Amino acid sequence: MPRKQIKRKCGHIENIYLEDREFNDPAALKHHEDELCEKCYVSTNRVCEKRMSYVDYKIEYISCRTKEGSYDEKNKTIVVYVPYDYFLLGTL
């Protein structure tokens, strides 16, 4: 996956991984620019870090953000920022 440096809506600059189809797509880049950076997202939202299998993330938690650089290739796991609302709604 290619990396690209973008300016988030909070004003911070962040390097992100993009899928190949997103790299030259202005709408996809705008979507990423309209989000908060990882640090601001975690500090302004009630989330907890949960390590889970990458498959579970893609099936159940695809709408949640992931921690940069947390993918473990050996165990096929990733750290996901799960909103506390998921716990309150009983979706875990």
Side-chain angles (χ1 to χ4, degrees):
M1 281 194 209
R3 288 180 65 98
K4 187 165 186 110
Q5 192 175 61
I6 63 166
K7 185 174 183 179
R8 298 288 193 167
K9 79 174 184 180
C10 57
H12 295 116
I13 296 185
E14 195 169 47
N15 287 315
I16 61 167
Y17 286 103
L18 296 169
E19 294 185 23
D20 291 332
R21 62 180 171 74
E22 292 181 306
F23 196 75
N24 291 318
D25 181 0
L29 293 174
K30 174 98 171 90
H31 170 75
H32 288 289
E33 291 169 348
D34 288 343
E35 293 181 342
L36 294 173
C37 72
E38 182 177 340
K39 184 178 179 181
C40 291
Y41 176 79
V42 170
S43 68
T44 59
N45 291 287
R46 296 189 61 218
V47 295
C48 69
E49 292 183 15
K50 181 172 171 63
R51 182 164 288 280
M52 63 181 69
S53 74
Y54 191 77
V55 172
D56 287 345
Y57 159 66
K58 291 301 260 185
I59 293 171
E60 299 289 331
Y61 301 94
I62 193 65
S63 63
C64 298
R65 291 191 54 176
T66 59
K67 186 173 187 175
E68 179 72 26
S70 67
Y71 181 69
D72 180 349
E73 192 170 330
K74 181 182 176 189
N75 295 317
K76 306 286 191 251
T77 60
I78 193 164
V79 174
V80 179
Y81 294 119
V82 181
Y84 282 110
D85 293 348
Y86 276 47
F87 296 106
L88 297 174
L89 297 173
T91 56
L92 281 179

